[in-house]
Each structure stands twice: as C-alpha cells, then as structure tokens.
Amino acid sequence: MPFRLTPTDARPIRRVTTGKRGEMQLTAHLTASAKAGAGFAVKQHVPFAIVGSHADGTWVCRPLMRSSVDFVGVLAGGRSVWIECKSVTPSRRLDGSFAPPRFPLSSLPEHQRATLASAHKLGAAAVVVLVVGTPATLYAVPWAVVARALERAAVSLLADDVNAYRVPPTMTLLAFVARLGE
C-alpha cells in the first residue's frame, strides 16, 4: 500500500532523506550500546492518520501530533536518556579536508527544545546528537551546552562548542553520554 505525505509537509525531500540517513547511523550506534550493556534507547514514532487517497491508489497521510525527540531510553544504572538526532552536512575546505561541524540552532524547533529542557530539569540525560558525514562522526552535545548557547542568543553551535563532545570511535554512544555526567 503506497503512502504519500500531505502537502502540509513543507520539508524538501533531500532534507527528509538526510535526516533518515543520520537516524539510521545513530540507530546502529544505539544497537552497539545495547549489546555492550551501556543502556538502550528506542525510536519515538509519530502516529499518522490516513486523510484521503488519490486516483493512482496512493494514500494521503498526515501526522497526528508533533514529534518530541527521536529516541528515549535508559542508561546503565537507571538514568533516563532523551536524544534528538540532527544531521549536519560537513563543509569542505579548499584543501579538501572537512571543516569542524557547525549546527544552526534554528534547526532545533521550539517543541523539541521544551522537551529536552523538561527532561534535563527532571534529571534525565538530555542530548542533541549531531551526525556529521558518512561514515558518521557523532557529537553528543548535552542540553546544558545548547541551553547556554540559546541564552546568549547564539545563531549556531560552533566547533568550539561541539568538539569536546565528539564520541570516540572506541566508545559506544550511551557509554559516552553516561560519562558526561550532565
């Protein structure tokens, strides 16, 4: 049964597929975290409703609610973790190397900010995971760092804000988040 999003989904198809690619890479890291015993996290799915159909047999769907965050789980030891995944396209320098990642804070909608802030306030580990490039380099930026950037009215998180939170290739994502201690 083929489905089609309603015209109310204003996101360009390139943006949607880039986000899905980032989530797939993050899912692989979360699976490795679960196998290593560092914790687990599951994808938060948004329910859709069928609102009509087209003559070609495809169904027209729309989300019933806004998404909160992408993944919710538990770290080893019992602390909850709330993860929002954002894909960042790396920019190339003239010499062919990649510039450090830069994340525009406008890419984090207000309802996701409110969810992460609430989770952090209640003691959960709330992080924005930036997935940069393919193969992915992950940056697990704690909500406190993002909140400070928002308080100072920053337009984006710069490499200086993000580089300290690069997940080492020898460590699972959830083990790294647990070590952050936020």
Side-chain angles (χ1 to χ4, degrees):
M1 186 178 346
F3 289 95
R4 183 184 302 169
L5 290 178
T6 60
T8 58
D9 190 354
R11 299 176 299 172
I13 193 70
R14 181 175 183 268
R15 182 171 160 212
V16 172
T17 56
T18 301
K20 296 287 183 207
R21 228 180 3 254
E23 282 186 17
M24 287 183 349
Q25 300 213 16
L26 179 58
T27 300
H29 282 268
L30 292 173
T31 301
S33 292
K35 286 181 181 175
F40 74 93
V42 294
K43 173 82 173 127
Q44 294 292 102
H45 293 283
V46 176
F48 277 77
I50 298 173
V51 295
S53 64
H54 291 282
D56 64 359
T58 59
W59 296 94
V60 179
C61 303
R62 69 172 180 80
L64 290 175
M65 57 187 271
R66 297 180 102 170
S67 65
S68 57
V69 293
D70 292 321
F71 296 88
V72 176
V74 179
L75 299 172
R79 186 173 180 208
S80 71
V81 61
W82 293 63
I83 302 169
E84 176 58 31
C85 175
K86 296 296 181 184
S87 295
V88 178
T89 305
S91 55
R92 263 191 206 275
R93 295 180 175 142
L94 293 175
D95 65 358
S97 66
F98 288 107
R102 180 179 181 160
F103 175 67
L105 292 170
S106 61
S107 295
L108 192 63
E110 187 58 44
H111 67 281
Q112 290 175 343
R113 293 177 188 186
T115 301
L116 290 168
S118 295
H120 176 73
K121 184 177 178 184
L122 292 172
V127 295
V128 176
V129 175
L130 304 179
V131 181
V132 182
T134 305
T137 302
L138 269 60
Y139 296 84
V141 184
W143 173 250
V145 173
V146 177
R148 282 193 298 271
L150 290 169
E151 285 173 7
R152 68 175 192 263
V155 175
S156 61
L157 290 176
L158 302 175
D160 294 342
D161 300 320
V162 172
N163 279 337
Y165 303 105
R166 182 178 181 173
V167 178
T170 58
M171 185 178 271
T172 65
L173 173 68
L174 293 181
F176 182 77
V177 170
R179 285 186 55 194
L180 291 175
E182 291 258 338

